[in-house]
Structures are given as C-alpha cells and as structure tokens.
C-alpha cells in the first residue's frame, strides 16, 4: 500500500446499491483519511432510490451520486478492491488486496429489506477501516 491515504474501490454489477452505500459509509467514517471510489461492471442509469432512502435515514446523502463504469485504471489505482457480486467482471491485478463481500442485492427490495443490508455494510466498512489502520470518525 502507498504511503499516502489508502484508496478503496467498491464494485458491484450496477453500481446503484451496495457499492454506493459502501462508498457513502466509507466517506462518512473515513473522511479525508481514505480515497473512495465505486463502479459497476454494468452501471445502472441512477442510484437505487431505496438505497438513497436507507442511507438518508442515517444522515448520509448519496442522491447525487451517479453509477460509473468499472475501468481497469480504477482497479489499478486502488489499494483495496471490494467486490459485491460482480463475479468475474472485475479485472485482477497482482499485488492488489481483494475482498468479496457476499451481500444481498437491494435491487427490487423495499426499505425494510434494505436497512439490514445498509447496516451490514457499515459493519464491514468499519472492519475495513480498522484493517487499514484508519480511525473511523
């Protein structure tokens, strides 16, 4: 890992739910001590409105985020790549730290179903920060 702040990339298929919520949590908890990116192998047109609503309940606004396409450069520039159901679509580069988080997809789910996904993502983001030696703010 570089001497600079750690760079984390969250990847899921549509970059509309799980990866956006994870990026929101890491931005909130890691602040300027970590660089946050998210992308999707097949990005959606917009962020899942139920994910936006679930995050708003905890004071994190992801409404203005836009799903981005996953590029090899984004992976290459990251220290940690966290995949969430993107399968083999994520490019692999030796020397990168990869984690695969098995999480339910919030697509098509109601708010009651998305809340536990949101909370599980927070728990995993907190553990990721600890593993990177970054204090959660």
């Amino acid at each position: 890992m570089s001497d600079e702040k750690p760079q984390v990339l969250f990847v899921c298929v549509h970059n509309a739910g799980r990866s956006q919520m994870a990026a929101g949590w890491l931005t909130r908890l890691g602040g300027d001590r970590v660089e946050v990116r998210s992308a999707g192998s097949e990005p959606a047109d917009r962020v899942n409105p139920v994910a936006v609503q679930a995050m708003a309940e905890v004071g994190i606004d992801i409404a203005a985020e836009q799903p981005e396409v996953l590029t090899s450069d984004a992976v290459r520039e990251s220290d940690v790549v966290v995949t969430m159901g993107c399968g083999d679509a994520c490019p692999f580069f030796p020397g990168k730290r990869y984690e695969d988080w098995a999480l339910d997809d919030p697509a098509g789910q109601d708010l009651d179903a998305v809340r536990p996904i949101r909370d599980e993502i927070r728990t995993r983001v907190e553990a990721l920060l600890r593993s990177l030696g970054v204090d959660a703010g």
Side-chain angles (χ1 to χ4, degrees):
M1 202 165 337
S2 65
D3 292 335
E4 315 240 336
K5 56 186 162 184
Q7 298 186 39
V8 178
L9 171 65
F10 293 105
V11 181
C12 66
V13 175
H14 300 297
N15 189 219
R18 295 166 288 188
S19 57
Q20 292 286 355
M21 289 191 290
W25 276 122
L26 189 57
T27 300
R28 164 64 60 84
L29 299 170
D32 62 1
R33 298 173 302 283
V34 63
E35 191 75 34
V36 183
R37 295 185 185 92
S38 70
S41 53
E42 299 173 25
D45 296 334
R46 63 190 176 116
V47 175
N48 179 333
V50 180
V52 170
Q53 188 178 359
M55 294 301 284
E57 287 184 343
V58 294
I60 299 173
D61 183 3
I62 61 170
E65 298 302 322
Q66 186 63 38
E68 300 283 335
V69 67
L70 175 65
T71 65
S72 293
D73 285 344
V75 175
R76 192 177 295 112
E77 293 167 7
S78 299
D79 298 306
V80 180
V81 179
V82 178
T83 58
M84 304 172 196
C86 74
D88 296 331
C90 188
F92 181 83
F93 291 97
K96 299 291 175 195
R97 175 176 157 192
Y98 288 85
E99 292 188 13
D100 185 54
W101 293 359
L103 296 161
D104 290 337
D105 189 343
Q109 308 251 26
D110 66 15
L111 187 57
D112 286 338
V114 173
R115 284 181 183 120
I117 300 168
R118 172 200 65 203
D119 297 343
E120 174 68 16
I121 291 171
R122 178 184 181 143
T123 300
R124 291 175 184 240
V125 165
E126 289 170 339
L128 176 63
L129 283 167
R130 282 191 301 275
S131 76
L132 294 171
V134 176
D135 291 329

